Amino acid sequence: MTRPRVVLGVSGGIAAYKACELLRRFTESGHDVTVVPTAAALEFVGAPTWSALSGKPVATDVWTGVHEVPHVRIGQEADLVVVAPATADLMAKAAHGLADDLLTNTLLTARCPVVMAPAMHTEMWEHAATTANVATLRSRGVLVVEPAEGRLTGADTGKGRLPDPEEIFELCRDVLERQTTGAAGTTLDLAGRHVVVSAGGTRERLDPVRFLGNRSSGRQGYALARAAAARGAEVTLVAANVTLADPAGVKVVRVESTAELRDAVLTAAAGADAVVMAAAPADFRPVHRSDTKIKKSDDGSAPVISLEQNPDILKELSVHRPAPGTVVVGFAAETGDASGSVLDLARAKLARKGCDLLVVNDVSGGAVFGAEDNEAVILSADGTAVDVPRGSKGALAHVIWDQVAARLPSA
Ligand code: CTP
């Protein structure tokens, strides 16, 4: 099997050093990487570093090795071009079709998927010129990843950070995989859509040190967020007590309890095209929350903790759709019992909740929680059932988005 050919474009920003890590991830996982830095990028990280890590010579201009016509060949032969970091200047050039160095030439000749991961100061990212250039690039099918929020160069913080290189790698791998498995025509089928995903398990505090919780790791929800971002969606991920890294290009809102999850999901869902409730919200919360630590008593008696029911967010979203046509997806972990099989109970739950799709996991063996892979049946309100055989949570995520995409009203 030929190694996937990746062009790593690096433009001149301080985050260029993080592209070394991205390069390593690509080469260590068997990709053939050609690094094309701009002249400004070499002010931050020198050519020997790119050359040593990629195992190839590195050029910034179109005059090196002219007999091989690199300004055309590199782009033509690529399976994926990723520019990380993409500066405001590089995106402005790309949006206007300028071609004054090897990277901008490569961007004009590439016919494969192109991913750009911008990194710059908030003011530059929010400038009308950058906004317009990003919109132009997106309208031409470039996957421009939303920058992360956090510490920028210097003391200031804000939107404009390069996402975690590991997460940019995961996004690129996802795009490449869909490209090679023939899903290329639909690679950015969620572009222009806003989707909300909830993930993780909520915690209901009993006192300052204790809570009622559950075993949800958040992996399936994070895989859903990643997959949607790789398909071009604007993604808000409402995460309850998850310790995983933020997926590239995804807005992450952190919550603790079911009440907080409900508020955050309903706020994010206003006008959304789809909401996927992959979180495991606690169904009950303590009626009283102690402000001080609950102590053992000398007589050996245990405290009685009264619970009250939390709101059912999925049901609320299904009944009061955030927008006409919002597709609402729920999850169900079922074991089956005397009253019915896993699928019987799931069909009843789908009807009870009123959502469009219900992703059903058979948890009789206790498998799913925290595991790397998953298998499921996706039931729909229109009566279909799609079996998804055991595979990665990322693979299941894409089948779920396929089902969602098929039900979205045309944009
Ligand atoms: N869910 C929710 N709000 C809750 C509880 C659950 O939105 N308070 C969502 C979950 O995110 C999931 C789906 O509902 O998408 C299934 O949750 P589950 O607890 O299995 O449903 P229940 O109706 O509580 O079913 P059961 O009676 O089997 O517990």
Side-chain angles (χ1 to χ4, degrees):
M1 205 183 95
T2 56
R3 297 195 297 157
R5 276 174 297 218
V6 174
V7 173
L8 172 59
V10 186
S11 54
I14 187 70
Y17 77 92
K18 294 188 186 171
C20 301
E21 190 58 40
L22 179 59
L23 171 55
R24 261 220 114 92
R25 294 294 288 120
F26 274 121
T27 53
E28 280 173 5
S29 51
H31 297 79
D32 170 352
V33 190
T34 303
V35 183
V36 186
T38 62
L42 296 185
E43 296 285 335
F44 292 94
V45 179
T49 302
W50 303 118
S51 189
L53 291 178
S54 68
K56 287 188 187 183
V58 160
T60 62
D61 59 46
V62 295
W63 312 118
T64 310
V66 177
H67 62 288
E68 288 184 347
V69 204
H71 75 288
V72 176
R73 186 183 50 80
I74 294 174
Q76 278 177 342
E77 291 178 358
D79 296 309
L80 176 83
V81 177
V82 50
V83 185
T87 58
D89 179 65
L90 185 279
M91 290 193 294
K93 283 180 176 156
H96 291 86
L98 298 187
D100 60 355
D101 63 4
L102 191 55
L103 179 54
T104 45
N105 273 274
T106 299
L107 287 167
L108 283 186
T109 52
R111 292 294 175 270
C112 58
V114 176
V115 175
M116 291 191 185
M120 64 197 72
H121 261 74
T122 313
E123 292 84 348
M124 297 174 87
W125 173 250
E126 289 176 349
H127 193 283
T130 307
T131 305
N133 291 331
V134 168
T136 301
L137 292 166
R138 284 181 174 157
S139 74
R140 292 188 191 137
V142 176
L143 179 53
V144 182
V145 179
E146 284 291 307
E149 283 190 34
R151 180 87 189 268
L152 303 170
T153 325
D156 41 356
T157 58
K159 191 164 181 176
R161 262 172 81 85
L162 189 74
D164 186 350
E166 175 71 32
E167 290 297 323
I168 299 175
F169 169 74
E170 288 300 338
L171 181 127
C172 291
R173 188 157 70 168
D174 199 323
V175 171
L176 257 174
E177 212 169 275
R178 284 172 60 71
Q179 165 85 351
T180 46
T181 54
T186 57
T187 297
L188 295 184
D189 60 345
L190 296 177
R193 307 288 192 173
H194 177 213
V195 304
V196 179
V197 178
S198 70
T202 62
R203 292 177 181 178
E204 304 297 335
R205 286 194 204 186
L206 287 166
D207 69 14
V209 296
R210 301 185 181 93
F211 57 83
L212 297 174
N214 64 68
R215 290 168 58 197
S216 174
S217 67
R219 282 184 204 280
Q220 186 62 63
Y222 272 53
L224 278 155
R226 256 192 217 111
R231 291 166 80 147
E234 176 193 344
V235 187
T236 308
L237 174 60
V238 182
N241 312 296
V242 183
T243 51
L244 304 169
D246 290 358
V250 168
K251 179 178 178 192
V252 182
V253 180
R254 291 182 199 289
V255 297
E256 187 175 318
S257 64
T258 295
E260 288 171 14
L261 182 74
R262 175 183 172 274
D263 288 352
V265 167
L266 294 187
T267 303
D273 295 286
V275 184
V276 182
M277 285 296 298
D283 280 325
F284 306 100
R285 63 173 175 246
V287 176
H288 301 290
R289 193 170 105 189
S290 173
D291 290 332
T292 53
K293 192 175 167 204
I294 301 168
K295 296 283 189 195
K296 281 198 290 286
S297 60
D298 292 336
D299 65 4
S301 65
V304 174
I305 295 163
S306 303
L307 301 175
E308 61 189 353
Q309 206 161 322
N310 269 324
D312 188 324
I313 307 163
L314 179 61
K315 197 167 183 177
E316 191 172 346
L317 286 163
S318 302
V319 174
H320 306 287
R321 301 278 165 150
T326 304
V327 178
V328 178
V329 184
F331 271 71
E334 300 286 353
T335 57
D337 59 23
S339 68
S341 69
V342 166
L343 283 186
D344 292 338
L345 296 178
R347 275 257 165 245
K349 187 174 283 185
L350 176 67
R352 209 164 58 237
K353 300 267 188 180
C355 51
D356 301 295
L357 297 167
L358 191 70
V359 184
V360 187
N361 293 127
D362 181 342
V363 290
S364 313
V368 180
F369 302 103
E372 291 291 341
D373 53 6
N374 204 350
E375 66 182 311
V377 179
I378 306 173
L379 298 180
S380 74
D382 40 53
T384 62
V386 176
D387 262 301
V388 188
R390 180 154 292 281
S392 70
K393 289 186 171 177
L396 172 59
H398 277 299
V399 183
I400 295 169
W401 289 123
D402 289 343
Q403 293 298 312
V404 170
R407 287 168 176 81
L408 288 172
S410 43

